[in-house]
Amino acid sequence: MGAIHPQLDTPEQNADELHMSLAIFIDQFGEGLLEQVRRQNPPIYDPDLDTQTPVWRARQHVLDNLTRQPFEAQAHAVHAVVKLLLDHNEPAAVLNADMGTGKTMMAICVAALMQSTHPRTLIVSPPHLVYKWRREILATVPGAKVWILNGPDTLRKLLALRNALGLKTSKPEFFVLGRVRMRMGFHWKPAFLTRQVLQDGQRFRFACCPDCMEPIERENADGEMMPLSAEAAALMLADRRCKCSHCDSTLWTLIRAGKRIDSMHDLVLGALKQMPTIGDKTARKLLSIFGEDLLGGMLDDNVYEFLNLMDESGELVFSDRQAMRMERSLASFEFSIGEGGYQATEFIKRVRREVA
């Protein structure tokens, strides 16, 4: 009988032996890798160190006095965001967490900790969650005031609130805007004045900035800055929104679109017909029963209230099957009744610049 030799490992077997599961790899090398990451990117917030500081204890005292208390892990995330924004003067912070971890609660707590320096908080929310934000704010922050700005008159309300509330406040104030209201496009046109300028004994009419009245200039072929006529300025400013080179004021203004503005009845009718299971006949019937004001308010401010619409006898207008279909559609659908020609983000940016 010949000798029996042990079977040699194949290359495939050797390669398999070199593989290591992720769990084993992290167990063996995770601590060293984490330490290396900490050395290269030191954390802004360290619970073991920060919890010993007077600043942390003062902020924790604010959290302890909220009506609803965040969990310990949520509180650490809140402290980290506030430290990044206030102590490190960063313009923004990202709170990234899974669904159900309490992002709304943590964001409200961040706003509560910043009340001493930033008493007013602007919240941009999906339209169907604006009332959830209002509910949670009132249930968390004692004495808070909440305004819902989710309708076609968002800018009018902002202007009215600006005049009524003034620049300072002693109580926490929250302004909740539906996301679709903030991202609306807007129409604009060049904005400048014309003035007469005496040059070489002759009078010329040039375009100038409405704020500082300095001429709007453009560099010529010789590299010299030359004032522009009204016609030349209109052509130069028509393609892009520019600012004055002297005072940095905007040389454009917002305008309304030139399209025909539909009546409220037509706007609500069109919105109703976009809803699943509702055709033209049903939409007109609903309008005749409930009216354009009631239905328009529901569709614009809280579309989920529309699902529970009741008739005079207290019976639900829509069956369970209809309501389920519409609810599934509303998860990714946003209404815009009476869309205006102004963008809320541009308005807020200008107001903040004026206040500053």
Side-chain angles (χ1 to χ4, degrees):
M1 257 178 103
I4 301 177
H5 298 282
Q7 185 177 1
L8 296 176
D9 290 341
T10 63
E12 290 77 7
Q13 290 174 320
N14 287 333
D16 288 339
E17 292 177 359
L18 295 176
H19 284 270
M20 180 184 298
S21 70
L22 180 61
I24 297 176
F25 177 82
I26 293 177
D27 184 58
Q28 293 186 9
F29 305 105
E31 188 174 346
L33 290 172
L34 185 59
E35 184 60 33
Q36 183 69 14
V37 171
R38 284 176 175 170
R39 283 198 300 268
Q40 294 180 357
N41 301 283
I44 296 295
Y45 176 80
D46 187 341
D48 295 332
L49 301 177
D50 283 270
T51 52
Q52 309 302 318
T53 63
V55 174
W56 186 93
R57 287 193 288 268
R59 290 172 180 168
Q60 184 60 37
H61 179 71
V62 176
L63 293 183
D64 292 338
N65 283 281
L66 295 178
T67 308
R68 294 193 305 163
Q69 302 295 313
F71 294 115
E72 182 180 358
Q74 292 175 327
H76 284 312
V78 169
H79 281 290
V81 170
V82 173
K83 185 176 181 181
L84 184 68
L85 294 174
L86 295 185
D87 301 348
H88 292 263
N89 199 30
E90 290 292 336
V94 177
L95 183 60
N96 187 13
D98 291 332
M99 183 183 297
T101 53
K103 294 186 292 296
T104 302
M105 173 67 175
M106 288 185 279
I108 294 172
C109 291
V110 168
L113 288 185
M114 298 178 67
Q115 288 298 319
S116 59
T117 56
H118 300 78
R120 287 179 173 140
T121 304
L122 178 67
I123 298 167
V124 182
S125 161
H128 61 282
L129 296 180
V130 291
Y131 288 95
K132 176 180 181 290
W133 272 95
R134 181 179 183 274
R135 239 180 4 256
E136 295 207 22
I137 291 169
L138 294 177
T140 304
V141 183
K145 292 184 177 180
V146 184
W147 284 271
I148 299 294
L149 304 173
N150 197 37
D153 55 350
T154 295
L155 293 183
R156 183 181 63 80
K157 289 179 180 177
L158 280 173
L159 282 170
L161 287 172
R162 181 192 181 196
N163 295 330
L165 300 177
L167 298 179
K168 295 183 179 180
T169 178
S170 58
K171 293 185 177 181
E173 296 178 353
F174 295 82
F175 303 84
V176 187
L177 280 79
R179 181 182 61 225
V180 69
R181 297 292 163 196
M182 296 297 290
R183 73 182 186 201
M184 283 181 182
F186 59 92
H187 300 267
W188 61 276
K189 67 177 181 179
F192 56 85
L193 299 177
T194 57
R195 57 177 293 197
Q196 288 188 354
V197 178
L198 186 62
Q199 194 174 59
D200 299 329
Q202 297 183 349
R203 293 185 178 275
F204 296 92
R205 294 185 66 85
F206 293 117
C208 63
C209 171
D211 288 345
C212 67
M213 298 301 291
E214 290 293 329
I216 299 174
E217 301 174 323
R218 182 171 58 185
E219 186 176 352
N220 62 13
D222 298 328
E224 300 176 344
M225 299 302 294
M226 300 295 294
L228 298 176
S229 66
E231 294 77 10
L235 289 173
M236 186 186 78
L237 301 176
D239 294 334
R240 64 184 186 277
R241 299 191 295 275
C242 300
K243 293 185 177 181
C244 176
S245 59
H246 300 282
C247 67
D248 204 39
S249 297
T250 55
L251 298 176
W252 56 273
T253 185
L254 296 164
I255 61 172
R256 289 197 177 274
K259 65 181 181 180
R260 179 181 65 88
I261 300 176
D262 292 335
S263 65
M264 189 62 175
H265 180 277
D266 293 337
L267 289 169
V268 175
L269 179 64
L272 286 173
K273 291 194 291 186
Q274 295 179 57
M275 299 281 288
T277 76
I278 298 181
D280 181 75
K281 184 177 179 180
T282 304
R284 293 183 184 276
K285 181 179 179 181
L286 290 173
L287 272 171
S288 65
I289 297 175
F290 298 100
E292 59 200 41
D293 292 334
L294 176 63
L295 294 178
M298 288 182 178
L299 293 175
D300 215 19
D301 289 338
N302 189 2
V303 290
Y304 286 91
E305 184 181 357
F306 178 75
L307 301 180
N308 298 316
L309 191 64
M310 294 185 180
D311 57 21
E312 294 180 353
S313 60
E315 298 292 331
L316 291 172
V317 173
F318 304 112
S319 65
D320 291 343
R321 184 177 180 182
Q322 284 180 299
M324 288 179 61
R325 286 190 59 187
M326 286 190 284
E327 187 171 5
R328 285 196 298 267
S329 176
L330 290 174
S332 59
F333 195 82
E334 294 174 349
F335 283 103
S336 174
I337 302 292
E339 178 179 347
Y342 300 103
Q343 189 178 31
T345 47
E346 182 62 33
F347 171 83
I348 293 169
K349 183 171 65 176
R350 287 193 177 194
V351 169
R352 289 194 59 186
R353 184 164 60 238
E354 290 175 8
V355 172

